Amino acid sequence: MTKVGVISDIHGNLTQEVIDHLQACEYIVCAGDTEDLRLIEQMRALAPLTVVRGNCDWRPWAEELPKDALLRVEDVNIYVLHNLHNLSFAPDPHKIDVVVYGHTHVYKQYYSEDVLYLNPGSVSEPRQGQSPHMYILEIEGKSIHIQDVDLATSRSTHWW
């Protein structure tokens, strides 16, 4: 089993609690809006990192960040972008298993045509009355288990 930490919309505030959760992961996926290169370097020191550029990642260092990325963890293909409205194709469920996106600061998970869509919300600036939030994916082969991590209560629950 491989654990993947999924976060977004850090906006310059990566708390120790988030770092503690990410330290338990073999991979980290960040769907943009880090706003600070030092935070990217800090996450890279914890585990292999896939990070994309968000709309608030506008400083010169961020030009090096891709707008989207594709990674494979075990037998699962994960496509990452910041704003789901910028998705310019319909994901093929034979090629992409998970789409990770951010931007809204609202965590959400759903399936559409056999593709899992995950928005981890924001670890620092949640909206619509939600708590700071992230996901940890537990991947084994093609199987994906989602651990919801509510950072306000330090609780995590599993969603299957």
Side-chain angles (χ1 to χ4, degrees), residues 59-140:
R59 292 174 180 84
W61 59 263
E63 291 176 12
E64 300 297 319
L65 297 177
K67 291 184 178 183
D68 60 357
L70 181 64
L71 73 146
R72 185 173 180 87
V73 178
E74 296 204 22
D75 296 329
V76 174
N77 291 317
I78 303 170
Y79 179 76
V80 186
L81 75 164
H82 181 63
N83 187 337
L84 188 60
H85 294 297
N86 293 334
L87 184 65
S88 60
F89 62 93
D92 181 344
H94 299 291
K95 295 180 182 173
I96 296 176
D97 303 293
V98 181
V99 172
V100 172
Y101 66 101
H103 187 61
T104 66
H105 295 222
V106 177
Y107 63 87
K108 189 175 189 177
Q109 57 208 5
Y110 62 94
Y111 278 91
S112 177
E113 299 184 27
D114 294 325
V115 175
L116 173 63
Y117 288 77
L118 286 177
N119 183 332
S122 174
V123 296
S124 65
E125 298 178 6
R127 294 183 182 152
Q128 296 184 8
Q130 292 187 342
S131 300
H133 188 271
M134 63 183 285
Y135 291 119
I136 296 176
L137 304 182
E138 297 169 346
I139 299 174
E140 190 164 359

